[in-house]
Amino acid sequence: MKQVLPRGANKLLTPSEVVQANTVDERTNFLVEEYSTSGRLDNITQVMSLHTQYLESFLRSQFYMLRMDGPLPLPHRHYIAIMAAARHQCSYLINMHVDEFLKTGGIAEWLNGLEYVPQRLKNLNEINKLLAHRPWLITKEHIQKLVKTGENNWSLPELVHAVVLLAHYHALASFVFGSGINPERDPEISNGLRLIPVNNFCVCDLANDNNIENASLTGSNFGIVDSLSELEALMERMKRLQEEREDEEASQEEMTTRFEKEKKESLFVVSGDTFHSFPHSDFEDDMIITSDVSRYIEDPGFGYEDFARRGEEHLPTFRAQDYTWENHGFSLVNRLYSDIGHLLDEKFRMVYSLTYNTMATHEDVDTTMLRRALFNYVHCMFGIRYDDYDYGEVNQLLERSLKVYIKTVTCYPERTTKRMYDSYWRQFKHSEKASTRLLLYTPQWTKHITKISSPFNKLPDTNFRLL
């Protein structure tokens, strides 16, 4: 029997549009019951239940990093989650983990702000902000500073646990904003935290509770016919690209040129196009950060900036093959934080292969090409290149409005609006758009862990001999 979600889990979709699948197994139900201390499913779980296979893997890994044996005490884990969520002004996650922090024995005074927490937790601020906004700036010196000898130092297992939590909640904040997740309750009475309206939008409440499918079709200048023609055009481009790939592969030189072109163009997405694609009123004011959020962060003005200046001829590139999750990230986290590597690897593989072979009304469609374009475009925005991928496919498959949505959700998720969600793939099912958000969530994760594995592995051997 299918279960309809309770009203209010998600404001991008109406309750009738978000339906739980009917194949949640006993293990998932157990994890949900254990994780939801309030005796009900949280809204993230409800929205993610559009894809129950992935939900099981997600809950298992999150349960492990928050509740099972590990290097960090339970209250510290939830406080680190709060610090990570605060970097993206995600009141939804902050509220959730303030409660969990107190329930696991956390000291209430710490919730007054960072000046009340132990120095070793405060020392995570630098790596927290870099991971959240500019991970390419992290060096081995940042790691050495945290693990140096002294009363406030971190052991390597503790630091890996902390980094896994930071990466998880930076990416999860993007999922919350990109999915329009609603607060669990009235935020006006939740631990003093409140949501801040910005030009009739709210940072955790992105849209009016309308029928999204109707709104996205009738509220545009294109209409149903043009939406259908856009879908058919996308299908045709996929078919043509597949035929061209089979006929003749691009040379390495040409693939390098296409990557550099896409990388440069990504610098202009959002900052150059948002104000033309969407009303200026969406962003005409600076984002407002409340004291209830800013108390958990230092340097609140530090945010995402393009990894290179516009106009530069030679933009920095990080070859994905140099430090990969499979060869470096997995071994690093599994060596220092037992079993989490296996759980994360299962989650990453699950979402990368997640497909029902449908595109809107079309069935038996191989969506591999489209999914890889989404996955690699996120990495491209951070200067990460896959040598075996033809980035010419990105421009062919990802329309401008989708690129705007991707970059916003990935780089500054707190700015996401319902208009952005409505503007792309207007004929796709909401479950298909949900799988897109999971695809965006996963490369953010692997980007974090891959980027930080490099400075970790460059530490002197003496650091590892201390274990």
Side-chain angles (χ1 to χ4, degrees):
M1 179 179 178
K2 290 184 177 180
Q3 297 175 310
V4 178
L5 291 179
R7 184 174 183 83
N10 174 280
K11 281 205 173 182
L12 291 179
L13 314 178
T14 61
S16 62
E17 292 171 322
V18 186
V19 180
Q20 287 182 320
N22 56 4
T23 56
V24 183
D25 63 20
E26 293 181 2
R27 187 169 190 181
T28 300
N29 283 326
F30 168 76
L31 289 170
V32 169
E33 182 179 350
E34 289 294 312
Y35 182 70
S36 181
T37 56
S38 63
R40 57 187 174 84
L41 299 180
D42 63 59
N43 290 343
I44 291 177
T45 302
Q46 293 181 50
V47 172
M48 211 174 273
S49 66
L50 285 164
H51 301 286
T52 52
Q53 281 187 309
Y54 178 79
L55 173 64
E56 179 183 0
S57 182
F58 170 86
L59 289 174
R60 189 185 298 119
S61 60
Q62 182 168 265
F63 183 87
Y64 186 86
M65 68 180 74
L66 287 176
R67 298 187 178 276
M68 298 296 286
D69 289 342
L72 295 176
L74 297 184
H76 285 62
R77 304 180 195 190
H78 293 289
Y79 201 86
I80 291 169
I82 292 170
M83 292 172 65
R87 286 305 325 177
H88 287 307
Q89 306 169 41
C90 189
S91 297
Y92 174 90
L93 291 175
I94 293 174
N95 283 332
M96 177 184 292
H97 287 282
V98 161
D99 287 347
E100 291 297 316
F101 172 77
L102 293 173
K103 288 175 182 176
T104 54
I107 300 172
E109 185 182 29
W110 291 12
L111 300 178
N112 292 330
L114 290 176
E115 62 267 32
Y116 296 91
V117 305
Q119 184 61 43
R120 70 194 305 266
L121 271 176
K122 291 175 67 175
N123 289 345
L124 285 179
N125 276 311
E126 185 70 11
I127 203 166
N128 181 25
K129 75 176 186 180
L130 291 178
L131 269 177
H133 307 297
R134 306 176 204 173
W136 57 87
L137 297 180
I138 294 175
T139 67
K140 68 177 181 181
E141 284 72 28
H142 291 108
I143 309 300
Q144 287 177 319
K145 186 176 180 180
L146 289 166
V147 300
K148 67 181 181 181
T149 58
E151 112 182 75
N152 297 316
N153 73 297
W154 290 75
S155 70
L156 284 172
E158 287 175 330
L159 186 54
V160 166
H161 193 172
V163 166
V164 166
L165 287 166
L166 291 174
H168 178 69
Y169 283 98
H170 292 155
L172 193 56
S174 291
F175 182 82
V176 167
F177 284 113
S179 302
I181 303 290
N182 277 340
E184 300 293 325
R185 56 195 168 190
D186 184 357
E188 295 292 340
I189 58 174
S190 174
N191 300 298
L193 290 174
R194 57 194 175 91
L195 301 181
I196 306 303
V198 180
N199 297 318
N200 297 320
F201 287 103
C202 199
V203 295
C204 273
D205 184 357
L206 304 180
N208 296 322
D209 193 6
N210 299 321
N211 183 305
I212 298 302
E213 193 155 355
N214 290 339
S216 62
L217 294 177
T218 61
S220 71
N221 295 323
F222 296 96
I224 296 175
V225 175
D226 285 330
S227 294
L228 291 172
S229 64
E230 287 174 354
L231 173 63
E232 298 301 330
L234 175 60
M235 298 275 293
E236 181 60 33
R237 289 196 299 272
M238 289 174 61
K239 180 181 178 180
R240 187 179 70 251
L241 285 170
Q242 185 62 44
E243 291 172 350
E244 291 175 356
R245 183 191 292 176
E246 291 173 355
D247 289 342
E248 184 179 359
E249 290 189 4
S251 66
Q252 278 296 319
E253 182 179 358
E254 179 61 24
M255 288 170 63
T256 300
T257 300
R258 291 173 183 176
F259 170 76
E260 292 298 327
K261 178 181 178 182
E262 189 60 46
K263 186 169 62 170
K264 288 180 180 179
E265 288 184 359
S266 74
L267 304 182
F268 294 92
V269 171
V270 176
S271 57
D273 287 332
T274 298
F275 302 105
H276 295 89
S277 302
F278 307 103
H280 184 68
S281 60
D282 283 0
F283 294 126
E284 67 184 5
D285 295 332
D286 291 335
M287 295 300 297
I288 302 172
I289 304 178
T290 69
S291 60
D292 304 304
V293 173
S294 63
R295 70 177 70 173
Y296 299 117
I297 57 177
E298 289 182 352
D299 196 4
F302 188 92
Y304 173 83
E305 288 185 357
D306 291 320
F307 61 91
R309 296 176 181 175
R310 297 187 183 98
E312 287 186 1
E313 287 299 319
H314 303 288
L315 304 181
T317 294
F318 184 97
R319 295 177 68 254
Q321 288 82 352
D322 292 340
Y323 273 96
T324 65
W325 162 252
E326 293 80 6
N327 297 329
H328 302 90
F330 174 84
S331 61
L332 172 70
V333 298
N334 228 42
R335 180 169 75 247
L336 297 173
Y337 181 16
S338 179
D339 292 333
I340 191 63
H342 293 289
L343 292 169
L344 294 178
D345 189 63
E346 175 192 331
K347 183 158 69 84
F348 298 156
R349 291 178 185 277
M350 174 72 68
V351 74
Y352 193 69
S353 61
L354 185 63
T355 181
Y356 301 103
N357 297 312
T358 64
M359 287 179 63
T361 57
H362 296 267
E363 297 184 352
D364 299 321
V365 180
D366 184 354
T367 62
T368 303
M369 181 180 292
L370 186 57
R371 287 183 284 116
R372 191 174 185 191
L374 288 163
F375 190 91
N376 287 357
Y377 182 64
V378 174
H379 281 159
C380 178
M381 290 188 300
F382 289 87
I384 301 173
R385 180 194 171 199
Y386 290 84
D387 288 344
D388 61 346
Y389 181 68
D390 182 356
Y391 286 84
E393 295 182 3
V394 170
N395 263 337
Q396 293 289 316
L397 299 176
L398 306 186
E399 60 189 83
R400 179 64 63 178
S401 58
L402 177 53
K403 287 184 175 182
V404 169
Y405 176 81
I406 291 171
K407 187 164 185 179
T408 304
V409 169
T410 302
C411 301
Y412 12 72
E414 59 276 8
R415 296 182 180 181
T416 310
T417 67
K418 175 180 179 292
R419 188 186 300 273
M420 293 179 186
Y421 178 88
D422 289 346
S423 68
Y424 76 95
W425 287 1
R426 288 168 295 154
Q427 283 298 310
F428 277 57
K429 300 172 186 175
H430 294 300
S431 59
E432 293 171 321
K433 296 181 84 165
S435 66
T436 300
R437 295 190 294 276
L438 294 178
L439 272 170
L440 303 185
Y441 167 80
T442 300
Q444 286 180 266
W445 242 111
T446 56
K447 161 180 66 74
H448 276 59
I449 299 300
T450 300
K451 282 285 191 178
I452 205 163
S453 69
S454 175
F456 259 106
N457 287 314
K458 289 178 181 176
L459 290 177
D461 290 342
T462 52
N463 286 290
F464 290 93
R465 288 200 295 268
L466 293 175
L467 300 180

